[in-house]
Amino acid sequence: SNDNGTTRCVESLCLPTCGEGYADCDGDVRNGCETDLNQSVDHCGACGAACTNENGAVACAGGICSPSCDGLFGDCDGLPENGCEQSLDTLDHCNGCGLLCDLLNSTESCAGGSCALLECLSDFADCDGEDATGCEVDTRVDVNHCGGCGMACSNDNGTTRCVESLCLPTCGEGYADCDGDVRNGCETDLNQSV
């Protein structure tokens, strides 16, 4: 018998001829062309061409493997026959194929598919509290965060810099840093102070 083609009996042997999209994959000539190559996940497009997907479901549509992925997995190599091969909770594939979790001046994690800041590299800080911007401040040179977040250098009576996490005020004429607090700059007017 052959529901999916024609068959002949030659020298006491059944000889099936398969219709388009069908094949005799079990090797039993008596049941003819039993396999639909357009839909069989074990023989998708050809006998023995199985669709696999350890991380989701798989279907065979039109003789091509068609994987559907579980939550944190993706088909990142574009090869449908091996399914959803890539975990999407890695630094190189964070919640999507090719999406890097690489935050500025920090060490990071992609646990659960979410790029998160773990800690800042030495001398850097996350002063805006946003993981996405990483550790955006160099506390060695930033006058608004000199030595740490929110530790600003100010100097109403001159200029100031942050060098190696220390405020370095330069006083305008007639002013001086008399209280020894470099963060408030040149607070004393030498022309008016008693």
Side-chain angles (χ1 to χ4, degrees), residues 66-186:
S66 178
S68 57
C69 302
D70 286 343
L72 284 176
F73 290 92
D75 176 19
C76 295
D77 65 3
L79 301 174
E81 60 269 19
N82 67 359
C84 307
E85 83 292 341
Q86 181 61 55
S87 172
L88 299 180
D89 60 358
T90 69
L91 295 179
D92 291 332
H93 304 278
C94 190
N95 203 33
C97 293
L99 296 180
L100 294 178
C101 178
D102 184 17
L103 302 176
L104 187 66
N105 304 313
S106 66
T107 56
E108 53 277 309
S109 162
C110 185
S114 178
C115 188
L117 189 149
L118 294 180
E119 65 180 337
C120 294
L121 300 181
S122 179
D123 298 317
F124 292 91
D126 175 25
C127 294
D128 65 4
E130 297 289 333
D131 279 6
T133 58
C135 301
E136 77 286 353
V137 173
D138 185 340
T139 60
R140 296 169 296 181
V141 297
D142 192 309
V143 294
N144 294 313
H145 309 283
C146 190
C149 292
M151 299 173 68
C153 304
S154 65
N155 189 3
D156 293 338
N157 304 307
T159 60
T160 190
R161 297 179 300 143
C162 178
V163 178
E164 295 300 323
S165 301
L166 293 173
C167 296
L168 294 180
T170 300
C171 298
E173 187 176 342
Y175 291 90
D177 175 20
C178 294
D179 66 0
D181 183 357
V182 292
R183 290 198 180 276
N184 66 5
C186 307

